[in-house]
Amino acid sequence: MSLLCGSMIFTGCASKKDLENCQNQNKQLTQDYQSTKEELASSRSRVTSLEEQLAQMRKENESLHQSLDKSLNNASSNNVNISKLVDQINESNQYIRHLVEVKSKSDSLNMVLTNNLTRSLSKEELKEVDVQVLKGVVYISLADNMLYKSGSYEINDRAEETLSKIAKIIMDYKDYDVLIEGNTDNVPVNTDSPQMKNIRNNWDLSALRASSVVQFLQDKYGVAPKRLTAGGRGEYNPVASNDTEVGKQRNRRTQIIITPKLDQFMDLIDKAPEKD
């Protein structure tokens, strides 16, 4: 959804056709987000599978060592079996080293990215920006009051400096994709507000806010749009209870999720040692 379209919604002068166009674009945006979410879930699943393979290989390696110890006790009659076991252990060790190397490379890249980002943020910004690495994915969570104008989805002046630092990190790490995810509390949208009267619910608001950040990164800082995805989760992904004002404030956030491109990560995994 373009900023022009967003502006037309909130002037109160938009035609029914303009509103329908924006709603259709928002529907497409939600579909694109769902697709990216599925890809991210698939990537996380493969990482989990990788960790399980590593654990299994280590277990098998230990079993092979035990078998070798038993065979060594009868070396005179088991020379052939010992040779096979040694080959299997060497092959197992090689593959374990490969799996560890792949996981270590992914973790190291993400830690460097995170450290570079946190060092660039001021102490004041770090009070409102939370940076975490979870299962190989970097999550940057920003409070809505530091990003948007009050009761709106438009980026405020205060957010520009922080977003410029995040944009620089995104530009430096060109092999990463970026998902912008809008989240709200469970308070219904105030449709009496002139800026909100054409927004139906928190789904719309969260998606529009994510779209604003995406277009800001693209238009102002030149981040390639093919690397960006915008999506809204409304009130349905809370990190705290909505029963308190503090909880609601924590839930009103936008997440910038930076993850290695799935195809490149899979290439790393597929480069397993070949059997002789």
Side-chain angles (χ1 to χ4, degrees):
M1 180 186 304
S2 68
L3 289 175
L4 176 58
C5 182
S7 299
M8 294 177 64
I9 290 177
F10 290 114
T11 57
C13 301
S15 66
K16 181 178 180 181
K17 182 178 180 181
D18 291 330
L19 178 58
E20 290 176 350
N21 287 338
C22 289
Q23 291 172 340
N24 290 334
Q25 291 177 20
N26 185 48
K27 181 179 179 181
Q28 182 62 47
L29 182 66
T30 302
Q31 292 172 348
D32 292 343
Y33 162 70
Q34 184 62 32
S35 176
T36 300
K37 179 180 176 183
E38 291 172 358
E39 291 182 5
L40 182 58
S42 175
S43 178
R44 289 176 177 171
S45 176
R46 290 302 297 267
V47 171
T48 300
S49 175
L50 179 63
E51 292 172 342
E52 291 173 352
Q53 288 181 55
L54 180 58
Q56 182 62 29
M57 290 300 294
R58 283 175 171 160
K59 183 177 180 181
E60 292 177 2
N61 196 24
E62 182 180 355
S63 177
L64 288 170
H65 276 289
Q66 292 174 353
S67 297
L68 178 58
D69 290 339
K70 291 179 181 178
S71 296
L72 286 173
N73 293 330
N74 301 296
S76 59
S77 59
N78 291 292
N79 288 335
V80 175
N81 289 336
I82 291 173
S83 178
K84 288 183 179 179
L85 282 171
V86 170
D87 290 341
Q88 290 176 351
I89 288 172
N90 289 337
E91 182 180 317
S92 173
N93 284 336
Q94 186 179 7
Y95 193 56
I96 287 174
R97 286 194 296 270
H98 169 73
L99 294 178
V100 170
E101 181 182 350
V102 170
K103 188 174 185 301
S104 177
K105 183 175 181 180
S106 176
D107 291 345
S108 296
L109 285 172
N110 287 330
M111 288 308 300
V112 171
L113 184 156
T114 302
N115 290 337
N116 287 346
L117 176 59
T118 52
R119 280 200 300 265
S120 69
L121 297 173
S122 68
K123 291 183 179 180
E124 290 302 314
E125 287 172 322
L126 286 172
K127 292 178 181 179
E128 297 182 289
V129 180
D130 181 45
V131 183
Q132 295 184 26
V133 177
L134 300 173
K135 294 187 177 180
V137 180
V138 179
Y139 293 84
I140 306 169
S141 184
L142 303 100
D144 70 332
N145 58 358
M146 78 167 296
L147 278 179
Y148 311 106
K149 296 178 181 178
S150 179
S152 173
Y153 63 79
E154 295 181 12
I155 302 295
N156 63 32
D157 295 337
R158 180 175 169 228
E160 290 195 25
E161 184 176 355
T162 302
L163 287 178
S164 71
K165 295 175 181 178
I166 294 174
K168 184 180 185 307
I169 295 295
I170 293 173
M171 294 290 283
D172 287 344
Y173 290 81
K174 298 185 183 297
D175 292 335
Y176 284 66
D177 284 332
V178 183
L179 168 64
I180 313 298
E181 179 186 276
N183 296 269
T184 70
D185 58 24
N186 64 348
V187 177
V189 171
N190 179 15
T191 55
D192 293 333
S193 169
Q195 291 182 312
M196 295 291 188
K197 68 177 183 178
N198 289 319
I199 294 180
R200 295 166 297 181
N201 49 40
N202 283 326
W203 278 116
D204 283 356
L205 179 59
S206 63
L208 285 168
R209 285 182 165 176
S211 180
S212 291
V213 174
V214 161
Q215 294 179 72
F216 196 85
L217 292 173
Q218 175 187 345
D219 297 339
K220 195 167 183 67
Y221 300 111
V223 179
K226 66 181 180 180
R227 298 177 57 198
L228 299 168
T229 301
R233 302 191 69 176
E235 64 199 67
Y236 302 104
N237 184 37
V239 293
S241 170
N242 282 303
D243 293 336
T244 66
E245 287 304 317
V246 173
K248 290 177 182 177
Q249 184 176 1
R250 289 190 62 199
N251 291 332
R252 296 192 300 267
R253 70 199 189 282
T254 295
Q255 285 192 308
I256 300 177
I257 304 171
I258 306 176
T259 180
K261 291 184 178 179
L262 182 61
D263 55 348
Q264 295 179 352
F265 184 74
M266 298 313 299
D267 285 344
L268 283 175
I269 295 177
D270 291 339
K271 291 178 182 176
E274 295 182 359
K275 296 181 179 180
D276 295 333

